[in-house]
Amino acid sequence: MTAIMLLHGLPGRGEQWRGVADALAPHRVLAPTFDGFGDDWADRNFPSSAHHARQIIEIAALEDPEGLVCVAWSFSCHPLLLALSEGLKCRQAILFDPSSDTYLQPPDRELFQQDAIAAFGPLFAEMGEADDRRLAQLSFAATGSRRTWDDLEEIQREPFIGSAAALRRAFAGDASPETLTEEMLARVTAPVVVASGNKSRQMFRLAASRLSSLIPGTRFISVKDADHLWPVSSPESFASFIKREIGGARI
């Protein structure tokens, strides 16, 4: 049976994947929470991408690589890519809407950064005063839409509210991701699928399309009618996408 590792965003925790995990049955799902996203990290600096990459490698080491599929969304795409460039073995890696610009060339990086400033400006403006609930809500508005937040049940909001402090520490500490060079990405040997929503913000679409051209043999998929928050707003649809890509359910 395939084991599927679901890697969360920022803010986020492993519990955010409950709906996706249920829809992925009978596959076995691993949904770890990264260090730095829990209360036990409150007095420490936000971990580096390399730290999170080591977490992924350690979890993957307990699995059969021939049966392991790694799925990353947004923030977690970067540490997964670092892990893959360092030799992580898995059956397949699926990345949705990567959120880093470190591998972009100057013209695309400028466009990425302009869109990021426009997206996160309201969040930065309230960072010092917003409570965790408001900060999580602002993160949804920045990357997708306020409506997605409003449509969630309270239990679905909890992983994002509970990890909003991680978002605050990451931005306050300038936790910039390590640079991923073209040479590093060329070392990735696992089959990779990079997807982006056709309604996602420009920054995510730029990062995804460029990344797909840098990793040998990578397939790029533009998901119709999906935005950055698709894994949260439509967990069953996101799970169906994963199943199709790993050759599970055909719909």
Side-chain angles (χ1 to χ4, degrees), residues 123 127 130-139 164-165 167-168:
L123 186 150
M127 180 78 74
D131 62 15
D132 288 350
R133 174 179 292 274
R134 175 63 175 163
L135 200 58
Q137 182 187 73
L138 286 168
S139 74
L167 177 65
R168 188 178 284 107

Side-chain angles (χ1 to χ4, degrees), residues 139-216:
S139 74
F140 271 58
T143 59
S145 73
R146 166 70 184 271
R147 179 178 177 179
T148 299
W149 176 265
D150 291 341
D151 287 345
L152 294 180
E153 297 179 3
E154 188 63 17
I155 193 172
Q156 296 173 296
R157 295 174 182 155
E158 288 175 357
F160 304 101
I161 297 170
S163 60
L167 177 65
R168 188 178 284 107
R169 289 197 302 275
F171 283 127
D174 190 27
S176 301
E178 285 87 343
T179 297
L180 274 168
T181 65
E182 293 189 16
E183 291 76 14
M184 293 169 69
L185 293 172
R187 295 202 296 263
V188 175
T189 59
V192 176
V193 173
V194 178
S196 184
N198 73 336
K199 293 185 176 180
S200 294
R201 293 196 68 105
Q202 182 185 39
M203 58 184 289
F204 302 119
R205 290 185 282 109
L206 272 174
S209 62
R210 178 60 176 158
L211 179 62
S212 66
S213 71
L214 294 175
I215 302 175

